Amino acid sequence: MEQIIFIILSVLAVVGALAVIFSSNAVYSVLFLVLTFFAIAGHFILLNAQFLAIVNIIVYAGAIMVLFLFVIMLLNLNKDSEAPTPALARIAGAIAAGLLMVTIVGAFKGLSQGSDVALRGGEIGTVSRLGQVLFSDFLLPFEISSVLFLSAMIGAVMLGKKNLKDS
Amino acid sequence: MLNLVFLIPLLPLIGFVLLGVFGSKLPKFVSGAIACTTVLVSFLITLTLLGGVLSGSIVSETITYFDWINTDGIYLPMSFLIDPLSVWMMTIITGVGFLIHLYSAGYMSHDEGFARYFTFLNLFVFSMLMLVMGSNFVVMFAGWEGVGFCSYMLIGFWFKNTNYNNAAKKAFIMNRVGDLGFLIGMLLIFVKVGSLEYATVFGQAPLVFESGTTDIVVITLCLFVGAMGKSAQIPLYTWLPDAMAGPTPVSALIHAATMVTAGIYMIVRSNVLYTLAPFTQDFIMIIGLCTALFAATIGLVQNDIKKVLAYSTVSQLGYMFFALGLGAYTTGLFHVTTHAFFKALLFLGSGSVIHAMSGEQDIRSMGGLRKKLPITFLTFLIGTIAIAGIPPFAGFFSKDEILAYAYQRSPILWALGILGALMTTFYMFRMFFLTFFGEFRGTEHQRSHLHESPLIMTLPLMILSILSIAGGFLGVPHVLGGHNWFGHYLSGVAPVKELALDHSTEILLMSISVALVLVVIIIAYVIYVSKKQVPVSEGSTLTTPHRVLYNKYYIDELYDALFSKTLRWKSEWFYKLLEKGGIDSLVNGIGKGVQWSGKTLRMAQTGNISTYLFLMVLGIILLLIITGLLV
Amino acid sequence: MENLFSNTLDGYLFLASLLFAIGVLGILIRRNIIIIFMCVELMLSAVNLLLTAFSVHHNDPNGQVFVFFIMAVAAAEITIGLAILVMIYRNTGSVSIDSLKKLKW
């Protein structure tokens, strides 16, 4: 049962990812990316990491993708304005990406652990468990990440201003 | 008494620091007062020490203040040795030094570098005191270097004149050659004896060294090279005449009375070592005699009043080394003393003349000054008679003592010594007559400015002339009814050499020398006063011997050709071959290579981000493959 | 090999590598900066997935905390990145990376 779900979710994720890079309209790309993220969230649930699954949907599929859509809409980029990539570059890119994948898989091969991998984790992915770790061992990085957000916010506002001298 | 010893060098040092830091802001009067007072107080403390030595309460005291260097195997305390020799030198340095400070306050009163002048003069007194007071060779060497530095600064005092600067550099470099010898000698002593303390070295020396072995000869010769440089002996004497570029009181203090006698002090101090090396003693004797005669011949034809005195100083220093070479250490130091008095007097007198002549130094432009400068004239006359060696003036006793020892060794040496003394008499009286007798030969402008120097300048002259008259009585020989007091005074430090001549011979020798001196004075009088002969002016043709002498045997030119030119030639060769051909082309080649490769490689930067990304991915793949292969 | 298509660690390794490679492919063949950006997100997600899988495999919550932080950093990064993108569009009138060629000699 789980294996079937795994295969379905994997196919969804890979198809979605391919559609992201091959669709000519940027809005479609965003929507396919959302699909991929949902599939990955499904994988998280399969791994019994409920908290990450929720966060993935809220932050990635929700907030970030909406941001992408906003930008595309604001800049009016939804029509196909991209110059076609030369065939040679496409082939070279495909070869490079394929090579990379082969290399990564080859590099991981030594790590192969056999069959019964998943779901040994039990309860570690629950909100309470992660919360305990986050607010004990990782309290300082957690607090510092708030500073990161603040600076990101200020940076985005500064960059987004039309003319700094006018303000 | 002894607990004040540290003040003697410290006071001039304080003066140096005060003047060096605040000198430019203080009024001239205050600067001069600080400089003179510090040296005067040092002199007074030294006098108490002298009293202690004379009364016998001080024989030989070593006062240690702190450890300078104290490591495994090397122990160097900062300590002073107070014994008759060092106290005597301190008395001369602070006493004559004070008089010259006083004189300088008048002589330099119109100079803008007044405070700077006294700064270095005080530092000089400090260094010179360190030199004579130190109880080991290292403290002496520190003072030795200090006086060399002050000499350099004061020769080049008027640094806006390139010639003066060159003279200063020449003095410094020549001294450096000598200092190297001194340093090597010092280190050899340390290697052989294991200590540099006088007490240890001189105590151990007779045990460590056999008389006349190579070791001791090399050590003493190296030390003597240092003395050659400092005391201007052949072949390192050419800096001293050039050193007259400095202010005249500096010439009097540094280049006549004190610093140049440091070499003699050093040899007298290490007389134990020199007595063990007869070869070195003979060498010193020959060098001394040659220098005495050589410099005297040059002095015969010089026209610059200070140059004459400079060559006279070189010649007199030669006499002192002559005495040391004969083994008569106390006599050498006796001549140092009398020479300090009369040569300081002569230099200060010449300074007074130059002052009156508005800076003119050529005796051909002087003449007839005796009426305008009566005090200078009288004191200068006393100095001249003293150096000529007419009894009972100071020079007679010290010089005839040297000549007596020379006769004891060999009559030929005595004859050569007399020859030098006669030449000294001739050129001194030639200068004296040309300056003070006859008609005034300067410009009208100079004539109207002629004036006697103020009291602050004439007072030191008068004191020094009294000393020049009386100084000789310190060492009246037995034959004239004295006890050679000076020899006995120093007998604790340096042995008095036996004079085994019978009294009639001794008196005969003295009479001959005095008679010849008187004859020479008359000759000089006839030539320069009765016949009113004046040395020919620049540019006129001279007879060959005269020309050779006038150009100082072309020694400067010879050194220039031997050392400077060859060095410059070598430098040029290396410059062209190694510098231009080797190093420059290497450096430029590297530069050009980098430029070329940069120009070529920057083509790889297309600025296209997709290319960069593609290459980056390839790089990552490569890294992963390499990692995989390595694992 | 039989584990590659199952919910084992090998399966997640393969899936994550594939998603990562697809992201790289997108970066290499697309010219639109927004798409390239999305590909970067895709690659990050692939890494997240793998981290979670390993975390579960080792029964260690630290891996999941890391994923959480990666998401936080990614969110900040996207904010700034999109702001820069808007600036680029304003200045060059295009969102193609070929318009950014000034970074050269």
Side-chain angles (χ1 to χ4, degrees), chain C residues 32-86:
Chain C
N32 190 329
I33 298 178
I34 294 185
I35 306 286
I36 289 176
F37 236 137
M38 287 189 237
C39 292
V40 171
E41 293 309 307
L42 192 58
M43 286 155 72
L44 271 176
S45 280
V47 173
N48 281 350
L49 183 60
L50 197 54
L51 263 174
T52 314
F54 272 111
S55 159
V56 171
H57 175 65
H58 289 296
N59 199 7
D60 182 355
N62 285 358
Q64 297 196 23
V65 174
F66 261 88
V67 173
F68 178 73
F69 280 120
I70 290 174
M71 282 178 182
V73 172
E77 172 228 323
I78 292 295
T79 324
I80 299 293
L82 286 176
I84 292 173
L85 182 83
V86 172

Side-chain angles (χ1 to χ4, degrees), chain B residues 350-365:
Chain B
S350 77
S352 179
V353 170
I354 294 165
H355 198 65
M357 294 286 295
S358 321
E360 178 65 57
Q361 300 193 1
D362 196 326
I363 51 175
R364 287 171 299 192
S365 305

Side-chain angles (χ1 to χ4, degrees), chain B residues 126-193:
Chain B
F126 163 74
S127 309
M128 192 69 205
L129 286 169
M130 292 290 284
L131 198 162
V132 297
M133 290 172 78
S135 81
N136 55 48
F137 279 100
V138 179
V139 177
M140 185 205 258
F141 189 68
W144 189 276
E145 293 296 318
V147 292
F149 168 72
C150 295
S151 159
Y152 167 78
M153 293 307 291
L154 287 167
I155 294 170
F157 179 73
W158 289 305
F159 53 81
K160 285 172 187 162
N161 185 322
T162 310
N163 285 338
Y164 293 0
N165 282 333
N166 285 341
K169 279 186 266 179
K170 185 176 184 180
F172 199 72
I173 291 168
M174 285 237 166
N175 269 303
R176 203 111 300 280
V177 176
D179 291 350
L180 183 65
F182 187 53
L183 195 60
I184 293 172
M186 216 166 79
L187 295 178
L188 282 175
I189 291 176
F190 185 75
V191 169
K192 293 287 170 193
V193 183

Side-chain angles (χ1 to χ4, degrees), chain B residues 328-592:
Chain B
Y329 301 109
T330 54
T331 312
L333 206 68
F334 184 31
H335 199 54
V336 167
T337 312
T338 56
H339 177 255
F341 295 151
F342 61 67
K343 191 52 69 66
L345 170 61
L346 286 168
F347 262 114
L348 295 186
S350 77
S352 179
V353 170
I354 294 165
H355 198 65
M357 294 286 295
S358 321
E360 178 65 57
Q361 300 193 1
D362 196 326
I363 51 175
R364 287 171 299 192
S365 305
M366 299 173 183
L369 296 180
R370 73 175 184 280
K371 294 187 191 82
K372 299 277 186 182
L373 306 169
I375 301 173
T376 310
F377 165 71
L378 259 179
T379 51
F380 207 91
L381 175 64
I382 292 168
T384 313
I385 295 175
I387 196 173
I390 292 172
F393 290 73
F396 166 77
F397 294 101
S398 53
K399 190 182 288 182
D400 272 81
E401 206 174 312
I402 297 173
L403 290 175
Y405 283 116
Y407 185 84
Q408 187 183 13
R409 183 74 174 265
S410 154
I412 298 169
L413 291 178
W414 176 80
L416 289 172
I418 285 284
L419 181 65
L422 295 180
M423 285 194 282
T424 306
T425 312
F426 182 78
Y427 64 68
M428 286 309 298
F429 272 93
R430 164 179 175 273
M431 180 181 83
F432 177 72
F433 289 141
L434 283 171
T435 307
F436 290 100
F437 284 76
E439 294 297 311
F440 186 72
R441 295 181 292 273
T443 59
E444 277 307 309
H445 176 74
Q446 286 169 333
R447 184 197 292 276
S448 61
H449 270 82
L450 283 179
H451 60 282
E452 180 59 278
S453 303
L455 182 67
I456 196 169
M457 286 167 70
T458 49
L459 188 68
L461 289 178
M462 292 186 259
I463 297 173
L464 282 169
S465 51
I466 293 166
L467 288 170
S468 300
I469 297 168
F473 292 104
L474 292 171
V476 180
H478 295 288
V479 63
L480 294 181
H483 304 287
N484 194 5
W485 176 87
F486 190 74
H488 289 294
Y489 171 78
L490 279 181
S491 54
V493 181
V496 183
K497 193 175 169 71
E498 284 300 315
L499 194 56
L501 300 175
D502 52 25
H503 285 189
S504 55
T505 320
E506 219 174 319
I507 289 181
L508 183 68
L509 294 177
M510 284 180 191
S511 318
I512 293 174
S513 76
V514 173
L516 286 172
V517 163
L518 287 173
V519 169
V520 168
I521 293 173
I522 292 165
I523 294 173
Y525 185 83
V526 169
I527 295 177
Y528 295 105
V529 181
S530 304
K531 294 192 177 172
K532 295 185 178 167
Q533 221 169 346
V534 177
V536 288
S537 53
E538 293 297 327
S540 46
T541 47
L542 304 167
T543 57
T544 308
H546 192 167
R547 197 173 60 238
V548 171
L549 288 182
Y550 187 71
N551 288 307
K552 308 148 201 164
Y553 293 99
Y554 298 101
I555 293 289
D556 278 330
E557 286 76 3
L558 179 71
Y559 284 181
D560 192 44
L562 273 182
F563 301 110
S564 310
K565 288 251 172 64
T566 49
L567 200 64
R568 222 167 283 149
W569 182 81
K570 269 187 247 165
S571 310
E572 215 148 272
W573 187 78
F574 278 113
Y575 173 71
K576 276 182 189 142
L577 192 82
L578 281 182
E579 177 72 20
K580 283 278 167 198
I583 295 168
D584 274 15
S585 54
L586 182 71
V587 172
N588 288 342
I590 290 173
K592 273 181 190 143

Side-chain angles (χ1 to χ4, degrees), chain B residues 107-319:
Chain B
Y107 187 83
M108 299 298 286
S109 55
H110 304 303
D111 199 285
E112 56 191 47
F114 190 79
R116 183 163 55 92
Y117 172 85
F118 277 110
T119 309
F120 288 116
L121 213 57
N122 262 5
L123 181 63
F124 169 79
V125 172
F126 163 74
S127 309
M128 192 69 205
L129 286 169
M130 292 290 284
L131 198 162
V132 297
M133 290 172 78
S135 81
N136 55 48
F137 279 100
V138 179
V139 177
M140 185 205 258
F141 189 68
W144 189 276
E145 293 296 318
V147 292
F149 168 72
C150 295
S151 159
Y152 167 78
M153 293 307 291
L154 287 167
I155 294 170
F157 179 73
W158 289 305
F159 53 81
K160 285 172 187 162
N161 185 322
T162 310
N163 285 338
Y164 293 0
N165 282 333
N166 285 341
K169 279 186 266 179
K170 185 176 184 180
F172 199 72
I173 291 168
M174 285 237 166
N175 269 303
R176 203 111 300 280
V177 176
D179 291 350
L180 183 65
F182 187 53
L183 195 60
I184 293 172
M186 216 166 79
L187 295 178
L188 282 175
I189 291 176
F190 185 75
V191 169
K192 293 287 170 193
V193 183
S195 170
L196 286 168
E197 282 290 315
Y198 293 147
T200 322
V201 174
F202 301 143
Q204 297 280 311
L207 311 172
V208 177
F209 303 109
E210 297 259 330
S211 176
T213 50
T214 321
D215 280 351
I216 187 72
V217 168
V218 169
I219 287 173
T220 48
L221 277 180
C222 282
L223 291 179
F224 180 55
V225 169
M228 271 180 186
K230 199 55 89 194
S231 301
Q233 295 300 294
I234 289 175
L236 298 177
Y237 74 95
T238 58
W239 67 270
L240 187 55
D242 284 15
M244 296 303 132
T248 309
V250 168
S251 310
L253 179 61
I254 301 185
H255 306 119
T258 53
M259 185 187 88
V260 288
T261 60
I264 291 123
Y265 164 78
M266 190 266 289
I267 289 179
V268 173
R269 178 58 84 193
S270 351
N271 65 78
V272 177
L273 302 179
Y274 281 89
T275 309
L276 286 171
F279 174 79
T280 315
Q281 281 195 307
D282 290 347
F283 184 71
I284 294 175
M285 185 188 75
I286 293 165
I287 290 282
L289 187 59
C290 287
T291 311
L293 292 173
F294 190 76
T297 53
I298 299 174
L300 289 175
V301 295
Q302 296 302 311
N303 293 327
D304 184 319
I305 188 165
K306 286 181 74 181
K307 280 278 160 68
V308 177
L309 288 172
Y311 280 104
S312 159
T313 306
V314 177
S315 171
Q316 295 300 315
L317 289 167
Y319 270 109

